[in-house]
Amino acid sequence: MKITVIVLSVVVALFGVASAVLGIIAEGTKLTRNDIEVYSNECVYPDNPAYALGLLAALLLLLAQITASAVGGCCGRCMPRGAGFSRSKAVAKSKRAIGAALCVLSWIMALIAERFFLVGAAANIPMTRQTSQGRGCHSVKDGVFMMGAILSIVATVLGIISYIMLYAAAAGATTTMGAVAGPSSAGEIRLDGIAIGHPVAAQQHARAV
């Protein structure tokens, strides 16, 4: 595996893990019903870090997905980063299909995680909200940020595997032109196993004449 693949995979992993860690921290710092101040028909949501953490977690996950998709060749539609194969060569279709499917699944998981992060962040915006008498104040449910964090990890892992599969498919499709080249025992030049030159019998007849 090329160093390029390793480096890019590590970068994507760092983005994804950072997103998950921020989501876990946001889960522990989110507002609860006891934190919300109620005045008549107003709910006052105080400053809290969960709002910024949720937004940052969503941003980092988005960066991870964009990076993985870009280096993976847009889910197999383009040449993966660092593959270095000829466009004229046929790719390993099975690996490419699996890689593309994993890429799509990764985006689905990421979008669901983004929704959890954004919903959690929106519920923790420091502001004053009007509420109907007797309805109480809304607070985010437990586990919203945590679900986003878990799905962030899942999406990141799928994205990395997708990139590696697409890279392997591209690299496996590479064939070396002229791999067997050099003089044969009879002195002819061989290219890809095909002898180029005059037959041995013809050369011996020419020397005899």
mmCIF file of all heavy atoms in Angstrom, residues 134-157:
data_model
loop_
_atom_site.group_PDB
_atom_site.id
_atom_site.type_symbol
_atom_site.label_atom_id
_atom_site.label_comp_id
_atom_site.label_asym_id
_atom_site.label_seq_id
_atom_site.Cartn_x
_atom_site.Cartn_y
_atom_site.Cartn_z
ATOM 1 N N GLY A 134 -48.366 26.033 29.978
ATOM 2 C CA GLY A 134 -48.540 24.624 30.296
ATOM 3 C C GLY A 134 -47.778 23.668 29.415
ATOM 4 O O GLY A 134 -47.755 22.471 29.702
ATOM 5 N N ARG A 135 -47.166 24.164 28.340
ATOM 6 C CA ARG A 135 -46.453 23.244 27.440
ATOM 7 C C ARG A 135 -45.040 22.958 27.928
ATOM 8 O O ARG A 135 -44.447 21.952 27.566
ATOM 9 C CB ARG A 135 -46.396 23.833 26.036
ATOM 10 C CG ARG A 135 -47.748 23.883 25.343
ATOM 11 C CD ARG A 135 -47.580 24.274 23.896
ATOM 12 N NE ARG A 135 -46.714 23.354 23.173
ATOM 13 C CZ ARG A 135 -46.359 23.511 21.903
ATOM 14 N NH1 ARG A 135 -46.795 24.576 21.237
ATOM 15 N NH2 ARG A 135 -45.599 22.644 21.312
ATOM 16 N N GLY A 136 -44.479 23.827 28.729
ATOM 17 C CA GLY A 136 -43.140 23.616 29.228
ATOM 18 C C GLY A 136 -42.087 23.981 28.193
ATOM 19 O O GLY A 136 -42.397 24.464 27.103
ATOM 20 N N CYS A 137 -40.857 23.739 28.527
ATOM 21 C CA CYS A 137 -39.732 24.087 27.657
ATOM 22 C C CYS A 137 -39.135 22.825 27.041
ATOM 23 O O CYS A 137 -39.001 21.788 27.709
ATOM 24 C CB CYS A 137 -38.657 24.839 28.444
ATOM 25 S SG CYS A 137 -39.248 26.363 29.210
ATOM 26 N N HIS A 138 -38.781 22.959 25.793
ATOM 27 C CA HIS A 138 -38.228 21.811 25.075
ATOM 28 C C HIS A 138 -36.748 21.664 25.374
ATOM 29 O O HIS A 138 -36.007 22.641 25.406
ATOM 30 C CB HIS A 138 -38.427 21.997 23.568
ATOM 31 C CG HIS A 138 -37.705 20.974 22.752
ATOM 32 N ND1 HIS A 138 -38.113 19.658 22.672
ATOM 33 C CD2 HIS A 138 -36.568 21.069 21.986
ATOM 34 C CE1 HIS A 138 -37.283 18.990 21.892
ATOM 35 N NE2 HIS A 138 -36.341 19.822 21.459
ATOM 36 N N SER A 139 -36.307 20.436 25.584
ATOM 37 C CA SER A 139 -34.884 20.121 25.749
ATOM 38 C C SER A 139 -34.559 18.889 24.922
ATOM 39 O O SER A 139 -35.428 18.043 24.675
ATOM 40 C CB SER A 139 -34.541 19.875 27.228
ATOM 41 O OG SER A 139 -35.273 18.772 27.728
ATOM 42 N N VAL A 140 -33.316 18.807 24.487
ATOM 43 C CA VAL A 140 -32.923 17.697 23.629
ATOM 44 C C VAL A 140 -32.924 16.393 24.425
ATOM 45 O O VAL A 140 -32.596 16.362 25.619
ATOM 46 C CB VAL A 140 -31.524 17.967 23.033
ATOM 47 C CG1 VAL A 140 -30.454 17.973 24.106
ATOM 48 C CG2 VAL A 140 -31.194 16.935 21.968
ATOM 49 N N LYS A 141 -33.339 15.334 23.786
ATOM 50 C CA LYS A 141 -33.397 14.039 24.454
ATOM 51 C C LYS A 141 -31.991 13.491 24.684
ATOM 52 O O LYS A 141 -31.050 13.829 23.983
ATOM 53 C CB LYS A 141 -34.200 13.044 23.607
ATOM 54 C CG LYS A 141 -35.665 13.422 23.443
ATOM 55 C CD LYS A 141 -36.392 12.378 22.594
ATOM 56 C CE LYS A 141 -37.862 12.737 22.429
ATOM 57 N NZ LYS A 141 -38.571 11.743 21.572
ATOM 58 N N ASP A 142 -31.884 12.615 25.660
ATOM 59 C CA ASP A 142 -30.603 11.963 25.925
ATOM 60 C C ASP A 142 -30.222 11.057 24.757
ATOM 61 O O ASP A 142 -31.074 10.360 24.188
ATOM 62 C CB ASP A 142 -30.678 11.124 27.208
ATOM 63 C CG ASP A 142 -30.807 11.982 28.451
ATOM 64 O OD1 ASP A 142 -30.408 13.164 28.396
ATOM 65 O OD2 ASP A 142 -31.314 11.461 29.471
ATOM 66 N N GLY A 143 -28.954 11.067 24.429
ATOM 67 C CA GLY A 143 -28.453 10.158 23.399
ATOM 68 C C GLY A 143 -28.417 10.730 22.001
ATOM 69 O O GLY A 143 -27.943 10.058 21.087
ATOM 70 N N VAL A 144 -28.882 11.955 21.800
ATOM 71 C CA VAL A 144 -28.894 12.533 20.450
ATOM 72 C C VAL A 144 -27.477 12.752 19.957
ATOM 73 O O VAL A 144 -27.091 12.311 18.862
ATOM 74 C CB VAL A 144 -29.683 13.860 20.433
ATOM 75 C CG1 VAL A 144 -29.505 14.566 19.099
ATOM 76 C CG2 VAL A 144 -31.161 13.590 20.686
ATOM 77 N N PHE A 145 -26.670 13.439 20.748
ATOM 78 C CA PHE A 145 -25.279 13.666 20.356
ATOM 79 C C PHE A 145 -24.491 12.354 20.309
ATOM 80 O O PHE A 145 -23.613 12.174 19.465
ATOM 81 C CB PHE A 145 -24.601 14.634 21.321
ATOM 82 C CG PHE A 145 -25.016 16.069 21.142
ATOM 83 C CD1 PHE A 145 -25.768 16.709 22.114
ATOM 84 C CD2 PHE A 145 -24.662 16.771 20.002
ATOM 85 C CE1 PHE A 145 -26.147 18.035 21.962
ATOM 86 C CE2 PHE A 145 -25.044 18.097 19.834
ATOM 87 C CZ PHE A 145 -25.789 18.729 20.821
ATOM 88 N N MET A 146 -24.807 11.445 21.223
ATOM 89 C CA MET A 146 -24.104 10.167 21.254
ATOM 90 C C MET A 146 -24.366 9.351 19.991
ATOM 91 O O MET A 146 -23.448 8.720 19.442
ATOM 92 C CB MET A 146 -24.535 9.367 22.491
ATOM 93 C CG MET A 146 -23.755 8.069 22.694
ATOM 94 S SD MET A 146 -21.992 8.352 22.948
ATOM 95 C CE MET A 146 -22.025 9.166 24.551
ATOM 96 N N MET A 147 -25.610 9.355 19.529
ATOM 97 C CA MET A 147 -25.925 8.651 18.286
ATOM 98 C C MET A 147 -25.172 9.271 17.106
ATOM 99 O O MET A 147 -24.679 8.559 16.227
ATOM 100 C CB MET A 147 -27.439 8.696 18.030
ATOM 101 C CG MET A 147 -28.232 7.724 18.875
ATOM 102 S SD MET A 147 -27.759 6.001 18.561
ATOM 103 C CE MET A 147 -28.101 5.868 16.791
ATOM 104 N N GLY A 148 -25.096 10.600 17.116
ATOM 105 C CA GLY A 148 -24.323 11.255 16.070
ATOM 106 C C GLY A 148 -22.867 10.851 16.112
ATOM 107 O O GLY A 148 -22.232 10.640 15.070
ATOM 108 N N ALA A 149 -22.307 10.723 17.321
ATOM 109 C CA ALA A 149 -20.908 10.330 17.468
ATOM 110 C C ALA A 149 -20.671 8.904 16.964
ATOM 111 O O ALA A 149 -19.690 8.625 16.259
ATOM 112 C CB ALA A 149 -20.485 10.445 18.929
ATOM 113 N N ILE A 150 -21.571 8.003 17.317
ATOM 114 C CA ILE A 150 -21.430 6.604 16.876
ATOM 115 C C ILE A 150 -21.521 6.499 15.350
ATOM 116 O O ILE A 150 -20.695 5.839 14.700
ATOM 117 C CB ILE A 150 -22.502 5.728 17.541
ATOM 118 C CG1 ILE A 150 -22.269 5.666 19.048
ATOM 119 C CG2 ILE A 150 -22.499 4.318 16.940
ATOM 120 C CD1 ILE A 150 -23.369 4.958 19.824
ATOM 121 N N LEU A 151 -22.509 7.161 14.783
ATOM 122 C CA LEU A 151 -22.670 7.125 13.331
ATOM 123 C C LEU A 151 -21.525 7.835 12.624
ATOM 124 O O LEU A 151 -21.168 7.483 11.492
ATOM 125 C CB LEU A 151 -24.002 7.756 12.937
ATOM 126 C CG LEU A 151 -25.250 6.967 13.332
ATOM 127 C CD1 LEU A 151 -26.506 7.750 12.989
ATOM 128 C CD2 LEU A 151 -25.261 5.612 12.640
ATOM 129 N N SER A 152 -20.927 8.808 13.279
ATOM 130 C CA SER A 152 -19.759 9.487 12.709
ATOM 131 C C SER A 152 -18.597 8.515 12.544
ATOM 132 O O SER A 152 -17.917 8.506 11.510
ATOM 133 C CB SER A 152 -19.350 10.660 13.597
ATOM 134 O OG SER A 152 -18.188 11.302 13.100
ATOM 135 N N ILE A 153 -18.374 7.690 13.560
ATOM 136 C CA ILE A 153 -17.317 6.676 13.479
ATOM 137 C C ILE A 153 -17.619 5.662 12.388
ATOM 138 O O ILE A 153 -16.746 5.282 11.595
ATOM 139 C CB ILE A 153 -17.156 5.963 14.837
ATOM 140 C CG1 ILE A 153 -16.587 6.930 15.890
ATOM 141 C CG2 ILE A 153 -16.240 4.751 14.699
ATOM 142 C CD1 ILE A 153 -15.182 7.394 15.591
ATOM 143 N N VAL A 154 -18.872 5.210 12.351
ATOM 144 C CA VAL A 154 -19.271 4.227 11.328
ATOM 145 C C VAL A 154 -19.065 4.796 9.930
ATOM 146 O O VAL A 154 -18.509 4.126 9.040
ATOM 147 C CB VAL A 154 -20.743 3.814 11.529
ATOM 148 C CG1 VAL A 154 -21.213 2.924 10.378
ATOM 149 C CG2 VAL A 154 -20.915 3.094 12.859
ATOM 150 N N ALA A 155 -19.499 6.027 9.717
ATOM 151 C CA ALA A 155 -19.352 6.659 8.399
ATOM 152 C C ALA A 155 -17.896 6.820 8.024
ATOM 153 O O ALA A 155 -17.507 6.600 6.870
ATOM 154 C CB ALA A 155 -20.051 8.025 8.399
ATOM 155 N N THR A 156 -17.064 7.188 8.983
ATOM 156 C CA THR A 156 -15.634 7.366 8.708
ATOM 157 C C THR A 156 -14.968 6.052 8.339
ATOM 158 O O THR A 156 -14.182 5.988 7.388
ATOM 159 C CB THR A 156 -14.937 7.973 9.936
ATOM 160 O OG1 THR A 156 -15.540 9.234 10.252
ATOM 161 C CG2 THR A 156 -13.459 8.192 9.661
ATOM 162 N N VAL A 157 -15.274 5.008 9.088
ATOM 163 C CA VAL A 157 -14.691 3.687 8.790
ATOM 164 C C VAL A 157 -15.112 3.217 7.406
ATOM 165 O O VAL A 157 -14.285 2.728 6.616
ATOM 166 C CB VAL A 157 -15.108 2.664 9.866
ATOM 167 C CG1 VAL A 157 -14.700 1.251 9.458
ATOM 168 C CG2 VAL A 157 -14.478 3.024 11.211
#
